[in-house]
Amino acid sequence: RQIRNKELRNSFQAKLQERAKLMEGRPAPDIPFKDIDGKEMRLSDFKGKVLYVDFWATWCGGCRQIIKEYEPLKKEIGEDKVAFIYLTGPSSIKKTWDILIQDIAGEHYWLNKEQWGYLWNHFQMTGLPMYLIIDKKGNIAKQFTHVTAKELKELLELEVNK
């Protein structure tokens, strides 16, 4: 849902950003996920590479729109420098997810209720979409709910060039 009152929306977004800063610099949680082929992975498997993690849902129109907006960055920055990881939970219908991810380059993980709940609580998420940038050492560099494609490119390049 969208908050229509601009002042209230800005205040709410400021509080979310303030809370997100508490996570920055801390190690990312390293729980196991299974990819679409059933292979287990962990975020630590990507250590040495910058990670862009997108928490989204198939039913979330805003999530799907932002995925399209950010898509060109994958070629501009290079998937060899940044791993683009997409996480969704059990509220996304698996068959719909299977179809949608075919057009989204990156790593895709459909999480079970326990995994999704753990991450939802760990990051104090209040809605979708939500994003993380994880640095090469496995620490959370940035947690946010939205930035422009230009701002995201700058954030990712900053981490890649460290």
Side-chain angles (χ1 to χ4, degrees):
R1 285 190 251 177
Q2 187 176 23
I3 301 171
R4 297 189 192 282
N5 180 302
K6 188 176 182 178
E7 189 176 306
L8 183 59
R9 181 178 60 237
N10 290 343
S11 174
F12 183 70
Q13 287 177 334
K15 290 280 185 203
L16 286 176
Q17 293 303 324
E18 187 178 301
R19 191 173 354 158
K21 286 184 181 181
L22 297 174
M23 293 288 174
E24 292 172 10
R26 294 185 179 188
D30 199 32
I31 66 170
F33 306 109
K34 288 191 179 179
D35 68 12
I36 55 176
D37 298 319
K39 180 182 167 199
E40 189 174 286
M41 65 74 64
R42 294 174 173 272
L43 292 178
S44 60
D45 294 342
F46 295 95
K47 220 171 213 174
K49 198 173 195 179
V50 174
L51 306 182
Y52 163 80
V53 183
D54 182 337
F55 294 86
W56 72 293
T58 57
W59 49 262
C60 172
C63 299
R64 292 167 60 179
Q65 180 60 40
I66 297 298
I67 288 170
K68 287 179 188 174
E69 284 179 31
Y70 291 173
E71 192 70 22
L73 293 176
K74 296 172 187 172
K75 289 186 177 88
E76 290 175 34
I77 294 174
E79 291 184 74
D80 58 320
K81 295 177 185 159
V82 177
F84 291 86
I85 299 172
Y86 296 87
L87 304 178
T88 194
S91 70
S92 291
I93 297 170
K94 183 87 165 57
K95 286 181 182 181
T96 305
W97 177 79
D98 286 332
I99 293 166
L100 291 176
I101 64 170
Q102 293 174 21
D103 295 328
I104 305 168
E107 305 273 339
H108 297 274
Y109 302 94
W110 191 87
L111 308 181
N112 65 36
K113 187 176 180 179
E114 183 180 322
Q115 293 166 322
W116 187 252
Y118 173 81
L119 293 173
W120 191 268
N121 290 328
H122 183 82
F123 292 111
Q124 301 173 9
M125 292 167 54
T126 57
L128 295 173
M130 200 275 290
Y131 310 94
L132 295 175
I133 295 176
I134 300 174
D135 68 19
K136 295 173 188 176
K137 295 177 184 175
N139 296 316
I140 299 165
K142 186 87 173 151
Q143 178 178 341
F144 56 97
T145 55
H146 180 71
V147 294
T148 65
K150 181 183 178 206
E151 291 168 327
L152 178 59
K153 182 179 179 185
E154 291 168 2
L155 290 168
L156 291 172
E157 287 177 338
L158 179 71
E159 290 303 321
V160 165
N161 294 322
K162 281 188 177 176

